């Protein structure tokens, strides 16, 4: 049977852990009472007498009723709060002497503290969710009203122009504030990813409605430009501002098209001379607003579910700890204290439960066409069950991969392919393909290890990355992809090496590695619902966001993936070379040096070395633009230093002189120190001198502290891999390309361990703010007449 402490830890909301009952501290205090009781019992046995035994026997079986006895043990006082927001507090008074009264007083003081903490947190979160619920109900009313008006217009005017048919007209105020800039309001809004699949809607955090109103007032003083995504309208007596965040290309195009069409229709949006101009609210804009409101309802329902779990687990914790207390002290305290707990606010308030029922009813009615089963797929998505077949195929393909790899190594050793005097054509054309796939799959394998460790340490990576719980990759899925891919790669290259060793050097044999790469690319973009389609398309959308990073808001998954690309520069250079080799047709003549002789392709190869750092720097610039934190500019400097170091290495490769070597050493050393500081202090949150864990941080997910120090040392060692450029050390008769692959693999390993600590720090930041659900930006904002 699983212990309650393990069950409690496994079911609690990770981001709210500090707000739950500290069951482990209460157990520790109870253990102290138990040890003191045992010591006192042993001493009493040595000095006991017949009279003392007789007195204790009479006291035990006194004629007082059980109710009279239990009321003499403790009394819990309820202190009324000074304000309704604070809530009542509880304080326990001991009415009987315990074997160790001081330890009992300490235990009940801690117990009262936990009860007051739980009540206060529940009250705060309940108020937050109720306010969000009221706001969403108003949003829903506005949406229904606008959709009804649009529907009525379409039924009344069937012969109207299509543009007019798909829109309704309101009025837009032409005062100065109506065209103020709204980009500052977007500073607090996280990116809301709009998936092509209608079942997968990712939403992000934004400020509360109060912060939005405050932001609107600030716009009156500072705004000087016109927004593409927000306009203020007056519809049926309500002044509304419609705001659809430009978080993806579809919404950006829709917003720009909407504004241009509105300007063409009205022809007076820039003049503001009249009192009001017509504004068209089209069907597309209402569709975006509906998706935003639907996502907000889903997140609200999830938060209310967390609050229900919070109530249930805390109630169980109080019951369990009081049972243990009664067992240790032989007192009847449980009925007295549990009555107080049951009547306390967190257990007696039903506002959150009623709101959950209302949200469920509204969602079923307006977003699921009165189909409860369909609604539950959104509100309570079921986790994908782990299949034993996945584990079986992991083992099968692992065995196949090992067998093929051993055969490939033996054949390569016999033919001498990886020695300096080896077949140059093979090493220049086929080996880059193997190197590229090896680095890519090693990185993916380490990501699977990260997922496993994040799950073990209760790091909510799905929430941090905004992944769909029904479609996210589990660590077994990642391992299956890795083993299957490497089996296919090594198997194809084993066949190719067999053909080369037998003297087949024709065009048909040389095209095999290129076909292998083409097959993987076709699988990646395959539109059919096979081989993890949702994950493949999400990866492609993230890559699109990285390439266009200055143009769109940056979320956690975007810059996390961009950091991975910074560790895959050798893989990207190999990809560029292989693509050039096959696209230009050099494989037909085995002219592997063509791409390096041509200036255009050579410069492109050097540009690939800078692109990941450039993309990441642009993401930092965009985050600074959106949020205004100077730390993003400092982070941008880190990637600029990395670009300078890469440029110095490229210059040294072109001309190996002493001066350029010194330049490489100086710039790379400065960049390494910069990166190490950011890794340890910013990304990992370590090296806090005044922490209760010296040189680490206050909160640690791993129990053994030496692992953090070991990881910092390993990160330092792997960051110095660039020294190979200076010393140019060769390992025996191993080809220099193999040495380069090993160094690139070490950088991938460094990135793998960096990933774990980066998300650990992010998780602790969320937990510090008790942030367990995303707050979705809402489309409609009512504006006062004076605004």
């Amino acid at each position: 049977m699983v212990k309650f402490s393990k069950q409690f830890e496994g079911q609690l909301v990770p981001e709210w852990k500090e707000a739950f009952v500290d069951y482990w501290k209460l157990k520790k205090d109870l253990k102290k009472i138990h040890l003191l009781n045992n010591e006192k019992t042993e001493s009493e046995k040595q000095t006991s007498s017949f009279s003392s035994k007789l007195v204790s026997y009479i006291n035990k079986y006194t004629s007082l009723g059980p109710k009279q006895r239990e009321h003499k043990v403790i009394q819990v006082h309820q202190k009324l709060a000074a304000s309704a927001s604070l809530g009542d507090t509880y304080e326990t008074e001991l009415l009987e002497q315990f074997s160790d009264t001081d330890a009992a007083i300490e235990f009940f003081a801690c117990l009262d503290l936990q009860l007051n903490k739980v009540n206060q947190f529940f009250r705060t979160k309940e108020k937050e969710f109720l306010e969000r619920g009221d706001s969403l109900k108003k949003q829903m009313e506005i949406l229904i009203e606008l959709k009804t008006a649009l529907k009525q217009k379409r039924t009344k005017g069937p012969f109207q122009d299509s543009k007019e048919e798909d829109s309704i007209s309101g009025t837009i105020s032409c005062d100065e504030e109506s065209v103020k800039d709204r980009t500052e309001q977007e500073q607090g809004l996280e990116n809301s990813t709009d998936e092509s699949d209608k079942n997968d809607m990712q939403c992000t955090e934004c400020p509360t409605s109060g912060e939005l109103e405050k932001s609107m007032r600030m716009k009156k003083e500072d705004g000087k430009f016109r927004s593409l995504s927000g306009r203020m309208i007056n519809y049926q007596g309500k002044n509304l501002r419609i705001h659809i965040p430009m978080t993806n290309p579809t919404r950006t195009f829709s917003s720009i098209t909407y504004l241009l069409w509105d300007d063409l229709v009205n022809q007076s949006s820039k003049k503001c001379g009249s009192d009001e101009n017509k504004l068209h609210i089209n069907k597309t804009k209402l569709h975006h607003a509906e998706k935003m409101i639907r996502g907000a309802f889903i997140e609200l329902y999830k938060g209310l579910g967390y609050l229900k779990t919070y109530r249930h687990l805390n109630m169980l914790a109080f019951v369990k700890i009081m049972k243990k207390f009664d067992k240790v002290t032989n007192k009847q305290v449980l009925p007295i204290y549990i009555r107080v707990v049951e009547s306390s606010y967190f257990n007696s308030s039903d506002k959150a439960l009623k709101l959950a029922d209302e949200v469920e009813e509204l969602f079923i009615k307006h977003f699921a066409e009165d189909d409860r089963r369909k609604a539950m797929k959104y509100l309570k998505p079921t986790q994908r069950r782990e299949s034993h077949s996945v584990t079986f195929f992991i083992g099968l393909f692992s065995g196949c991969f090992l067998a093929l790899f051993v055969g490939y190594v033996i054949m390569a050793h016999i033919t001498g392919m990886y020695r300096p005097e080896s077949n140059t054509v093979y090493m220049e054309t086929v080996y880059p393909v193997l190197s590229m796939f090896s680095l890519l799959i090693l990185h993916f394998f380490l990501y699977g290890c990260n997922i496993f460790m994040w799950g073990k340490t209760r790091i909510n990576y799905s929430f941090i990355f905004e992944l769909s719980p029904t479609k996210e990759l589990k660590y077994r899925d990642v391992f299956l992809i890795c083993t299957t891919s490497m089996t296919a790669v090594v198997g194809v290259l084993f066949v190719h090496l067999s053909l080369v060793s037998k003297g087949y050097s024709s065009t048909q044999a040389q095209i095999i590695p290129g076909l292998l790469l083409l097959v993987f690319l076709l699988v990646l973009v395959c539109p059919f619902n096979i081989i993890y389609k949702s994950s493949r398309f999400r990866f492609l959308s993230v890559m699109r966001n990285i390439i266009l990073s200055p143009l769109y808001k940056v979320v956690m998954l975007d810059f996390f993936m961009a950091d991975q690309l910074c560790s895959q520069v050798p893989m990207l250079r190999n990809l560029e070379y292989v693509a050039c080799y096959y696209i230009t047709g050099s494989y037909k003549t085995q002219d592997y040096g063509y791409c390096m002789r041509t200036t255009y392709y050579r410069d492109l190869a050097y540009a690939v070395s800078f692109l990941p750092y450039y993309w990441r720097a642009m993401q930092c610039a965009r985050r600074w633009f959106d949020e205004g934190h100077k730390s993003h500019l400092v982070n941008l400097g880190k990637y600029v230093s990395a670009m300078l170091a890469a440029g110095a290495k490229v210059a040294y490769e072109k001309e190996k002189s002493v001066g350029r070597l010194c330049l490489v050493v100086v710039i790379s050393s400065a960049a390494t120190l910069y990166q190490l500081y950011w890794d340890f202090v910013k990304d990992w949150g370590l090296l806090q001198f005044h922490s209760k864990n010296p040189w680490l941080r206050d909160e640690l997910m791993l129990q053994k502290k030496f692992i953090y120090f070991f990881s910092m040392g390993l990160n330092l060692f792997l960051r110095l891999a660039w020294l190979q450029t200076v010393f140019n050390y060769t390992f025996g008769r191993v080809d220099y390309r193999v040495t380069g692959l090993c160094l690139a693999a070490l950088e991938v390993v460094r990135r793998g361990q960096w990933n774990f600590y980066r998300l650990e720090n992010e998780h602790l930041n969320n937990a510090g703010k008790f942030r367990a659900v995303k707050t979705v930006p809402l489309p409609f904002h009512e504006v006062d007449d004076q605004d």
Side-chain angles (χ1 to χ4, degrees):
M1 185 176 178
V2 181
K3 289 185 177 180
F4 175 74
S5 57
K6 294 289 184 183
Q7 181 184 359
F8 183 68
E9 186 175 12
Q11 294 182 6
L12 57 78
V13 182
E15 289 79 8
W16 293 355
K17 185 176 181 179
E18 294 299 321
F20 276 81
V21 173
D22 195 345
Y23 186 76
W24 299 271
K25 187 177 188 308
L26 291 171
K27 278 185 66 176
K28 188 182 295 185
D29 291 345
L30 202 55
K31 187 176 181 180
K32 187 189 300 183
I33 296 175
H34 182 60
L35 293 175
L36 293 172
N37 283 349
N38 289 341
E39 293 177 2
K40 189 169 183 179
T41 303
E42 291 177 1
S43 62
E44 285 179 352
K45 284 181 179 180
Q46 297 175 0
T47 60
S48 62
S49 62
F50 177 77
S51 58
S52 61
K53 289 182 179 180
L54 182 61
V55 170
S56 63
Y57 183 84
I58 294 172
N59 289 336
K60 184 176 181 181
Y61 295 99
T62 182
S63 59
L64 292 175
K67 290 186 178 180
Q68 291 173 310
R69 289 199 309 270
E70 78 176 17
H71 280 291
K72 287 188 176 180
V73 181
I74 64 169
Q75 183 175 355
V76 183
H77 301 283
Q78 182 178 2
K79 295 183 177 180
L80 298 179
S83 62
S85 60
L86 296 176
D88 300 339
T89 58
Y90 298 91
E91 184 176 337
T92 303
E93 178 186 0
L94 303 185
L95 301 180
E96 280 190 6
Q97 291 294 322
F98 287 77
S99 55
D100 190 301
T101 305
D102 293 337
I105 291 174
E106 183 180 350
F107 172 81
F108 278 104
C110 181
L111 191 65
D112 294 336
L113 180 65
Q114 299 302 316
L115 178 58
N116 295 331
K117 177 183 73 174
V118 168
N119 279 323
Q120 182 59 34
F121 181 81
F122 187 90
R123 189 185 299 271
T124 303
K125 281 297 174 183
E126 183 185 63
K127 181 181 178 183
E128 176 186 335
F129 289 139
L130 289 175
E131 290 177 353
R132 197 179 304 176
D134 292 338
S135 178
L136 274 174
K137 290 175 188 176
K138 294 179 182 178
Q139 295 280 318
M140 198 69 233
E141 291 173 1
I142 296 171
L143 179 66
I144 294 171
E145 192 175 359
L146 293 177
K147 287 178 69 176
T148 303
L150 181 62
K151 187 176 180 180
Q152 290 175 353
K153 182 176 177 61
R154 295 181 66 181
T155 55
K156 288 180 180 179
F159 300 105
Q160 292 179 359
D161 183 70
S162 60
K163 288 285 185 180
E164 291 290 335
E165 183 181 352
D166 290 336
S167 65
I168 57 176
S169 298
T171 58
I172 178 169
S173 302
C174 277
D175 52 7
E176 184 180 358
E177 286 79 10
S178 65
V179 293
K180 293 291 186 180
D181 178 39
R182 289 177 51 81
T183 51
E184 289 184 13
Q185 177 180 329
E186 297 176 2
Q187 288 179 6
L189 300 176
E190 294 281 328
N191 183 24
S192 175
T193 306
D194 184 14
E195 297 285 348
S196 58
D197 185 356
K198 68 178 181 180
N199 291 333
D200 185 16
M201 181 173 183
Q202 303 295 334
C203 304
T204 56
E205 292 192 359
C206 76
T208 60
S209 57
E211 291 172 338
L212 287 173
E213 292 174 3
K214 181 179 179 181
S215 178
M216 290 176 192
R217 296 188 183 98
M218 292 171 61
K219 259 13 119 262
K220 296 180 179 181
E221 300 174 1
D222 302 327
K224 295 181 180 179
F225 301 99
R226 202 173 147 189
S227 171
L228 298 179
S229 57
R231 303 293 296 273
M232 188 172 72
I233 67 168
N234 182 284
Y235 183 72
Q236 294 192 4
K238 296 179 181 178
N239 286 334
L240 302 176
R241 181 173 277 122
I242 304 177
H243 176 63
I244 308 294
M246 295 185 293
T247 54
N248 53 55
T250 304
R251 288 188 177 181
T252 304
F253 179 76
S254 175
S255 297
I256 295 174
T257 305
Y258 166 77
L259 182 60
L260 292 176
W261 173 252
D262 182 57
D263 288 345
L264 289 174
V265 171
N266 295 314
Q267 296 181 358
S268 59
S269 59
K270 295 181 180 180
K271 297 178 182 179
C272 293
S274 58
D275 291 337
E276 54 184 27
N277 296 318
K278 283 189 176 181
L279 174 68
H280 292 265
I281 306 172
N282 56 24
K283 185 178 179 180
T284 303
K285 201 169 185 69
L286 283 182
H287 178 67
H288 286 320
E290 182 178 1
K291 295 186 77 172
M292 293 171 67
I293 294 173
R294 183 183 66 177
F297 270 114
I298 293 172
E299 291 300 317
L300 175 60
Y301 191 83
K302 185 191 298 184
L304 293 170
Y306 286 158
L307 204 59
K308 184 178 179 181
T309 302
Y310 180 81
R311 166 192 289 185
H312 174 68
L313 287 180
N314 281 316
M315 190 67 206
L316 278 179
F318 280 117
V319 172
K320 290 288 184 180
I321 201 65
M322 294 312 299
K323 282 184 178 179
K324 289 180 180 292
F325 183 85
D326 285 1
K327 185 177 179 181
V328 168
T329 60
N330 292 323
K331 304 283 187 181
Q332 294 297 320
V333 178
L334 173 65
I336 306 172
Y337 203 87
I338 290 304
R339 276 200 297 270
V340 175
V341 175
E342 288 176 345
S343 63
S344 64
Y345 188 84
F346 87 94
N347 191 64
S348 60
S349 177
D350 61 347
K351 295 178 183 178
L353 296 177
K354 290 180 179 179
L355 179 60
D357 294 336
E358 291 180 23
V359 169
E360 191 173 310
E361 291 175 2
L362 286 171
F363 197 92
I364 293 172
K365 180 179 179 181
H366 299 290
F367 299 107
E369 301 173 351
D370 292 325
D371 187 347
R372 179 179 175 80
R373 181 176 296 181
K374 180 181 178 181
M376 288 300 106
K377 291 181 180 179
Y378 289 95
L379 297 177
K380 291 183 179 180
T382 55
Q383 294 286 344
R384 221 164 18 96
R385 290 184 178 180
E386 298 288 346
S387 174
H388 293 294
S389 60
V390 174
T391 306
F392 169 76
F393 282 111
I394 290 174
L396 176 64
F397 286 118
S398 297
C400 295
F401 162 68
L402 290 175
L404 289 169
F405 182 73
V406 170
Y408 180 81
V409 170
I410 293 174
M411 186 172 292
H413 177 72
I414 293 173
T415 56
M417 286 295 180
Y418 291 98
R419 295 175 184 172
E421 64 277 5
S422 62
N423 186 341
T424 308
V425 175
Y426 184 87
M427 293 300 296
E428 291 287 352
T429 59
V430 180
Y431 181 73
V433 177
L434 175 62
S435 174
M436 179 178 59
F437 279 112
S438 300
L439 292 175
L440 189 62
I441 295 173
L442 173 62
H443 207 142
F444 204 50
F445 172 78
L446 291 173
Y447 174 69
C449 296
N450 287 145
I451 292 177
F452 177 78
M453 287 303 299
W454 290 331
K456 285 292 183 182
T457 53
R458 300 276 292 157
I459 293 176
N460 195 354
Y461 68 94
S462 299
F463 171 68
I464 295 173
F465 287 147
E466 301 172 24
L467 301 176
S468 172
T470 58
K471 299 178 181 179
E472 64 175 337
L473 290 177
K474 307 295 183 182
Y475 71 91
R476 286 189 178 89
D477 299 317
V478 175
F479 291 155
L480 177 61
I481 294 172
C482 292
T483 53
T484 305
S485 301
M486 281 310 297
T487 300
V489 170
V490 177
V492 171
L493 293 183
F494 178 77
V495 172
H496 178 265
L497 185 59
S498 301
L499 295 175
V500 172
S501 62
K502 291 179 180 180
Y504 291 94
S505 58
S506 61
T507 303
Q508 289 77 9
Q510 290 299 320
I511 204 174
I512 290 177
L515 289 176
L516 176 66
L517 177 59
L518 181 62
V519 168
F520 272 86
L521 291 176
L522 289 177
V523 170
L524 180 63
V525 298
C526 177
F528 303 109
N529 192 17
I530 57 174
I531 315 177
Y532 305 104
K533 176 188 173 183
S534 60
S535 297
R536 289 188 287 108
F537 276 57
R538 183 68 189 274
F539 171 77
L540 293 175
S541 67
V542 170
M543 293 301 298
R544 177 205 63 196
N545 293 342
I546 291 173
I547 295 172
L548 302 175
S549 53
L551 304 178
Y552 303 104
K553 267 189 178 297
V554 182
V555 294
M556 178 68 187
L557 186 58
D558 292 344
F559 67 76
F560 180 84
M561 186 62 70
D563 279 324
Q564 311 308 304
L565 291 178
C566 292
S567 295
Q568 286 287 6
V569 171
M571 185 273 294
L572 294 175
R573 294 192 66 171
N574 285 332
L575 178 62
E576 186 273 338
Y577 173 79
V578 171
C580 171
Y581 180 73
Y582 284 100
I583 290 174
T584 58
S586 300
Y587 69 96
K588 297 178 181 179
T589 59
Q590 298 184 11
D591 184 10
Y592 57 83
Y594 173 77
C595 294
M596 296 306 297
R597 291 195 306 270
T598 306
T599 305
Y600 176 77
Y601 290 108
R602 186 171 65 248
D603 294 341
L604 181 61
Y606 291 139
V608 168
S609 302
F610 295 91
L611 274 178
Y613 302 110
Y614 167 78
W615 289 331
R616 192 66 187 88
M618 291 299 99
Q619 287 180 335
C620 293
R622 177 58 194 256
R623 294 189 71 191
W624 169 77
F625 178 79
D626 290 335
E627 302 172 16
H629 299 312
K630 294 182 180 179
S631 60
H632 297 308
L633 291 179
V634 181
N635 196 16
L636 185 147
K638 182 185 73 171
Y639 294 102
V640 171
S641 69
M643 284 192 283
L644 293 176
K649 291 177 185 177
V650 168
Y652 178 68
E653 288 176 2
K654 289 182 177 180
E655 181 183 343
K656 295 189 176 182
S657 62
V658 178
R660 295 195 175 186
L661 178 61
C662 294
L663 186 65
V664 169
V665 172
V666 172
I667 296 180
S668 297
S669 299
T672 301
L673 292 175
Y674 202 157
Q675 292 161 358
L676 285 172
Y677 167 78
W678 202 268
D679 285 346
F680 297 153
V681 179
K682 298 296 183 180
D683 289 338
W684 294 3
L686 303 177
L687 295 182
Q688 296 182 11
F689 304 117
H690 302 291
S691 169
K692 64 181 181 182
N693 301 307
W695 295 90
L696 299 177
R697 62 170 110 84
D698 291 336
E699 299 295 332
L700 301 174
M701 301 299 294
L702 301 178
Q703 295 180 353
K704 297 181 180 179
K705 299 178 184 179
F706 78 89
I707 297 178
Y708 292 92
F709 292 106
F710 173 78
S711 298
M712 285 192 286
L714 183 61
N715 189 72
L716 170 62
F717 173 75
L718 296 178
R719 278 285 190 187
L720 298 176
W722 59 268
L723 290 174
Q724 171 64 17
T725 308
V726 178
F727 296 110
N728 198 21
Y729 182 77
T730 57
F731 298 90
R733 303 178 63 186
V734 179
D735 191 276
Y736 73 94
R737 303 175 189 85
V738 180
T739 304
L741 174 61
C742 294
L743 293 175
L746 289 178
E747 169 59 22
V748 172
V749 171
R750 187 199 68 80
R751 181 62 65 181
Q753 75 150 4
W754 178 92
N755 291 341
F756 174 80
Y757 296 111
R758 179 66 184 88
L759 247 69
E760 179 190 8
N761 192 37
E762 185 71 20
H763 171 78
L764 292 174
N765 289 337
N766 288 336
K769 299 174 183 177
F770 301 109
R771 188 167 49 199
V773 292
K774 297 179 284 291
T775 306
V776 183
L778 301 178
F780 306 116
H781 303 285
E782 290 193 32
V783 184
D784 297 334
D785 293 335
Q786 62 267 25
D787 291 346

